[in-house]
Amino acid sequence: MKKYESLKKVDLHCHLEGSLNPVKVSKWTRKSVDEVENMLILGKAGDMENHESAMKYANSLLQTKARLKDAAAELCKDMKLENVVYAEIRLDPAAHLEKDLTLKDVVEATLEGLAMSTLKTKLILVMKRNYEFELNKSIIDIAKKYLKKGVCAVDMAGDFEDCSLKSLKELFVYAESVGVPVVIHAGCEGDAKDIDSALSLGARRIGHGIKAIKSFETMEKLKKLHVPLEICLTSNIATGIYGKYSEHPIARLIDSGVMVTINTDNRTINKTTITDEYILLNKYFSFTIKDFNEMNRVAIEHSFLSDKEKAELSKEFI
Ligand SMILES: [Zn+2]
């Protein structure tokens, strides 16, 4: 569908590790593209063991500065091909310390790769709910060091069953004290309380947040605080949260007045592109180009760009 491919787009929620280009990986590993795809693409929706092994394989490939740089540059190339004009890329820096890299090496190499492209990007550093406090704190510290030098925020990801966001409060207080903005993966599963916690901890955007649909109060809070959701439609199907696209609450969230943005999450693992997401949203929910432009304006408004950059970029979506 050429009209969606040529449409300008913003992606605020895309993990580098889950979005490796299979042809590039084939060159790195000298395995065939088919073989690489077998290891990187989720075979069956909801198969979380397979999801974990694909992510592990991706992480195992990204243990040198050269690979991180190459992977980041390649992702920008892929995004540019489908007319992404701005992206906030996520990186789980602690997943790349298996050999001899430090957090600083990992962040610097990734930023170098991103800077090789003319695509406007920023980097979000991912903490995990199951990481030790000190490790997460050191991710905030490295984010602070590179803030306004390519890094724009930290994220909290990981299984909500591993620990509650409330128990991690000290980390969020610390991030705020050093001036590092926070986005949080919350309310992917379970109920809406996880989203309430993320909001009370100062999340500027909510990753997924689809379970907001279960609570009128949570949706009202999202609206009152002007916090948008980073919707990743195919990712929610791939991980088995919804059995069918038509069951996804995106349209109901919008009808309730909640702000949403469209994102890919893990392009390769979930076998999607941002263009595919637009095509699916048109197919299942009849979203139009006007709707997509509106969602992209929301994305820009709630991005970590400067006010001047936001004003310039917004002109592309009128
Ligand atoms: Zn994510």
Side-chain angles (χ1 to χ4, degrees):
M1 287 249 212
K2 273 266 173 273
K3 68 172 173 178
Y4 295 117
E5 202 169 70
S6 60
L7 203 64
K8 288 177 180 164
K9 308 172 195 79
V10 175
D11 191 341
L12 298 180
H13 189 135
C14 178
H15 297 261
L16 177 65
E17 296 89 347
S19 305
L20 299 181
N21 181 302
V23 176
K24 178 59 84 177
V25 174
S26 157
K27 282 184 189 148
W28 290 344
T29 58
R30 299 181 191 204
K31 288 186 165 75
S32 71
V33 174
D34 277 355
E35 237 179 309
V36 164
E37 285 187 338
N38 266 336
M39 294 171 85
L40 283 178
I41 297 174
L42 187 64
K44 209 170 99 221
D47 184 349
M48 292 316 284
E49 249 176 62
N50 188 199
H51 193 278
E52 205 177 305
S53 65
M55 201 52 106
K56 254 192 191 159
Y57 178 57
N59 284 337
S60 76
L61 296 165
L62 299 173
Q63 298 297 331
T64 65
K65 285 194 213 177
R67 288 273 181 87
L68 283 158
K69 187 175 166 184
D70 211 11
E74 196 68 20
L75 176 56
C76 291
K77 249 190 231 173
D78 288 342
M79 287 182 153
K80 276 202 85 167
L81 282 177
E82 48 171 349
N83 248 334
V84 172
V85 292
Y86 175 63
E88 290 179 4
I89 311 287
R90 283 165 211 236
L91 176 80
D92 174 5
H96 310 288
L97 309 176
E98 285 170 21
K99 286 189 178 166
D100 51 3
L101 297 184
T102 63
L103 285 177
K104 182 172 176 281
D105 296 332
V106 171
V107 171
E108 276 184 1
T110 309
L111 287 175
E112 274 177 39
L114 295 178
M116 285 169 70
S117 172
T118 53
L119 174 64
K120 194 186 265 293
T121 53
K122 287 189 189 291
L123 187 63
I124 296 176
L125 301 183
V126 177
M127 304 185 284
K128 288 260 177 85
R129 296 192 193 209
N130 62 340
Y131 284 171
E132 296 287 334
F133 176 85
E134 284 304 323
L135 179 56
N136 278 332
K137 188 167 174 276
S138 62
I139 294 170
I140 296 172
D141 287 333
I142 204 86
K144 169 73 182 169
K145 188 173 166 62
Y146 290 92
L147 203 63
K148 299 198 172 80
K149 292 175 193 141
V151 173
C152 61
V154 289
D155 176 23
M156 178 62 75
D159 196 331
F160 83 108
E161 283 176 343
D162 281 344
C163 73
S164 73
L165 286 171
K166 274 191 183 154
S167 67
L168 301 167
K169 187 175 175 185
E170 208 184 323
L171 279 172
F172 296 102
V173 170
Y174 180 65
E176 196 185 354
S177 74
V178 295
V180 173
V182 166
V183 291
I184 302 180
H185 278 72
C188 306
E189 297 190 67
D191 55 32
K193 287 199 179 74
D194 201 34
I195 302 167
D196 295 340
S197 303
L199 291 172
S200 71
L201 295 167
R204 301 264 292 264
R205 300 191 307 256
I206 304 290
H208 301 284
I210 41 188
K211 298 299 175 182
I213 198 69
K214 289 187 166 183
S215 163
F216 175 77
E217 286 77 20
T218 302
M219 289 195 285
E220 287 305 301
K221 270 187 212 167
L222 285 165
K223 288 192 269 182
K224 196 171 156 223
L225 296 168
H226 301 286
V227 173
L229 304 182
E230 300 160 351
I231 297 288
C232 310
L233 183 75
T234 295
S235 172
N236 297 153
I237 307 298
T239 52
I241 296 171
Y242 299 103
K244 292 183 202 154
Y245 281 99
S246 56
E247 289 170 4
H248 197 282
I250 182 168
R252 284 178 285 143
L253 286 162
I254 293 173
D255 290 346
S256 306
V258 174
M259 288 186 291
V260 308
T261 63
I262 307 304
N263 310 276
T264 48
D265 208 10
N266 295 301
R267 294 169 61 104
T268 309
I269 291 182
N270 299 334
K271 204 175 185 349
T272 192
T273 63
I274 192 91
T275 306
D276 288 346
E277 298 296 295
Y278 284 36
I279 293 169
L280 289 161
L281 286 163
N282 172 260
K283 180 177 171 186
Y284 290 98
F285 303 102
S286 305
F287 287 5
T288 62
I289 287 178
K290 195 167 161 262
D291 296 325
F292 294 132
N293 280 338
E294 172 57 27
M295 285 183 256
N296 279 315
R297 279 198 296 271
V298 169
I300 292 165
E301 178 61 34
H302 295 271
S303 71
F304 291 104
L305 289 165
S306 68
D307 287 346
K308 188 169 169 266
E309 287 171 313
K310 285 180 186 179
E312 268 168 28
L313 204 53
S314 292
K315 286 183 206 150
E316 314 247 11
F317 294 96
I318 292 167

Short mmCIF file of all heavy atoms in Angstrom, two decimals, residues 13-15 55 90 126 155-158 185 188 207-208 230 232 235 264-266, ligand 1:
data_model
loop_
_atom_site.label_atom_id
_atom_site.label_comp_id
_atom_site.label_asym_id
_atom_site.label_seq_id
_atom_site.Cartn_x
_atom_site.Cartn_y
_atom_site.Cartn_z
N HIS A 13 8.37 4.26 19.99
CA HIS A 13 8.57 3.07 20.82
C HIS A 13 9.07 1.92 19.94
O HIS A 13 8.29 1.15 19.39
CB HIS A 13 7.24 2.68 21.50
CG HIS A 13 7.38 1.61 22.54
ND1 HIS A 13 6.78 1.69 23.78
CD2 HIS A 13 8.06 0.44 22.54
CE1 HIS A 13 7.09 0.61 24.48
NE2 HIS A 13 7.85 -0.18 23.73
N CYS A 14 10.38 1.88 19.78
CA CYS A 14 11.00 0.84 18.94
C CYS A 14 12.29 0.40 19.61
O CYS A 14 13.19 1.21 19.83
CB CYS A 14 11.27 1.40 17.55
SG CYS A 14 12.08 0.22 16.46
N HIS A 15 12.38 -0.89 19.95
CA HIS A 15 13.58 -1.42 20.62
C HIS A 15 14.61 -1.85 19.56
O HIS A 15 14.28 -2.65 18.68
CB HIS A 15 13.22 -2.63 21.47
CG HIS A 15 12.28 -2.32 22.60
ND1 HIS A 15 12.71 -2.13 23.89
CD2 HIS A 15 10.93 -2.16 22.62
CE1 HIS A 15 11.66 -1.87 24.67
NE2 HIS A 15 10.57 -1.88 23.92
N MET A 55 14.98 -12.71 21.61
CA MET A 55 15.60 -11.53 22.21
C MET A 55 17.01 -11.88 22.70
O MET A 55 17.95 -11.08 22.55
CB MET A 55 14.71 -11.03 23.35
CG MET A 55 14.92 -9.60 23.74
SD MET A 55 14.85 -8.42 22.37
CE MET A 55 13.28 -7.64 22.63
N ARG A 90 14.79 2.67 21.53
CA ARG A 90 15.11 2.18 22.88
C ARG A 90 16.25 1.18 22.85
O ARG A 90 16.35 0.37 21.92
CB ARG A 90 13.87 1.49 23.49
CG ARG A 90 12.90 2.53 23.98
CD ARG A 90 11.55 1.95 24.25
NE ARG A 90 10.61 3.03 23.97
CZ ARG A 90 9.71 3.51 24.81
NH1 ARG A 90 9.55 2.97 25.98
NH2 ARG A 90 8.94 4.52 24.47
N VAL A 126 16.76 1.75 28.53
CA VAL A 126 15.76 0.91 29.20
C VAL A 126 16.31 0.33 30.50
O VAL A 126 17.37 -0.31 30.51
CB VAL A 126 15.32 -0.23 28.25
CG1 VAL A 126 14.34 -1.17 28.95
CG2 VAL A 126 14.71 0.33 26.96
N ASP A 155 13.55 4.43 30.39
CA ASP A 155 12.29 3.69 30.34
C ASP A 155 12.38 2.61 31.42
O ASP A 155 13.47 2.23 31.83
CB ASP A 155 12.19 3.05 28.94
CG ASP A 155 10.96 2.16 28.75
OD1 ASP A 155 9.97 2.33 29.48
OD2 ASP A 155 11.01 1.30 27.85
N MET A 156 11.23 2.14 31.89
CA MET A 156 11.21 0.96 32.75
C MET A 156 10.41 -0.11 32.02
O MET A 156 9.25 0.11 31.68
CB MET A 156 10.57 1.29 34.11
CG MET A 156 10.46 0.11 35.07
SD MET A 156 12.06 -0.61 35.54
CE MET A 156 12.69 0.63 36.69
N ALA A 157 11.07 -1.25 31.74
CA ALA A 157 10.39 -2.34 31.04
C ALA A 157 10.43 -3.59 31.92
O ALA A 157 10.86 -3.53 33.06
CB ALA A 157 11.05 -2.58 29.69
N GLY A 158 10.04 -4.70 31.35
CA GLY A 158 10.09 -5.97 32.08
C GLY A 158 8.72 -6.40 32.54
O GLY A 158 7.75 -5.64 32.49
N HIS A 185 6.89 1.29 30.57
CA HIS A 185 6.03 0.23 30.04
C HIS A 185 5.07 -0.13 31.18
O HIS A 185 5.51 -0.58 32.24
CB HIS A 185 6.84 -1.05 29.76
CG HIS A 185 7.58 -1.09 28.46
ND1 HIS A 185 8.69 -0.36 28.21
CD2 HIS A 185 7.36 -1.84 27.34
CE1 HIS A 185 9.14 -0.64 26.99
NE2 HIS A 185 8.34 -1.53 26.43
N CYS A 188 0.36 -3.45 30.23
CA CYS A 188 0.30 -4.31 29.04
C CYS A 188 -0.65 -5.46 29.37
O CYS A 188 -1.39 -5.94 28.53
CB CYS A 188 1.65 -4.92 28.70
SG CYS A 188 2.96 -3.75 28.52
N GLY A 207 4.18 3.16 27.85
CA GLY A 207 4.42 2.13 26.83
C GLY A 207 3.29 1.12 26.87
O GLY A 207 3.05 0.51 27.91
N HIS A 208 2.59 0.97 25.78
CA HIS A 208 1.40 0.10 25.65
C HIS A 208 0.21 0.73 26.40
O HIS A 208 -0.60 1.41 25.81
CB HIS A 208 1.67 -1.33 26.11
CG HIS A 208 2.76 -2.00 25.34
ND1 HIS A 208 2.58 -2.47 24.07
CD2 HIS A 208 4.07 -2.23 25.65
CE1 HIS A 208 3.73 -2.98 23.63
NE2 HIS A 208 4.65 -2.84 24.57
N GLU A 230 1.69 4.74 24.10
CA GLU A 230 2.47 4.31 22.93
C GLU A 230 1.90 2.95 22.51
O GLU A 230 2.25 1.92 23.08
CB GLU A 230 3.94 4.17 23.31
CG GLU A 230 4.58 5.45 23.80
CD GLU A 230 5.85 5.23 24.60
OE1 GLU A 230 6.18 4.07 24.92
OE2 GLU A 230 6.52 6.22 24.92
N CYS A 232 1.34 -0.31 20.39
CA CYS A 232 2.12 -1.19 19.49
C CYS A 232 1.20 -2.36 19.16
O CYS A 232 1.26 -3.42 19.81
CB CYS A 232 3.39 -1.67 20.19
SG CYS A 232 4.37 -0.35 20.96
N SER A 235 2.53 -5.95 18.19
CA SER A 235 3.25 -6.51 19.33
C SER A 235 2.27 -7.14 20.33
O SER A 235 2.54 -8.21 20.89
CB SER A 235 4.05 -5.39 20.01
OG SER A 235 4.60 -5.84 21.21
N THR A 264 6.08 0.54 16.68
CA THR A 264 6.35 -0.83 16.25
C THR A 264 6.79 -1.78 17.37
O THR A 264 6.64 -2.98 17.25
CB THR A 264 7.46 -0.84 15.18
OG1 THR A 264 8.54 -0.03 15.65
CG2 THR A 264 6.95 -0.32 13.86
N ASP A 265 7.43 -1.27 18.42
CA ASP A 265 7.96 -2.07 19.53
C ASP A 265 9.19 -2.87 19.05
O ASP A 265 10.31 -2.44 19.24
CB ASP A 265 6.89 -2.99 20.12
CG ASP A 265 7.14 -3.31 21.59
OD1 ASP A 265 8.03 -2.68 22.18
OD2 ASP A 265 6.45 -4.19 22.14
N ASN A 266 8.95 -4.06 18.46
CA ASN A 266 10.06 -4.91 17.99
C ASN A 266 9.80 -5.28 16.53
O ASN A 266 9.08 -6.25 16.26
CB ASN A 266 10.15 -6.17 18.86
CG ASN A 266 10.53 -5.83 20.29
OD1 ASN A 266 11.57 -5.24 20.56
ND2 ASN A 266 9.66 -6.19 21.22
ZN ZN B 1 8.49 -2.09 24.37
#
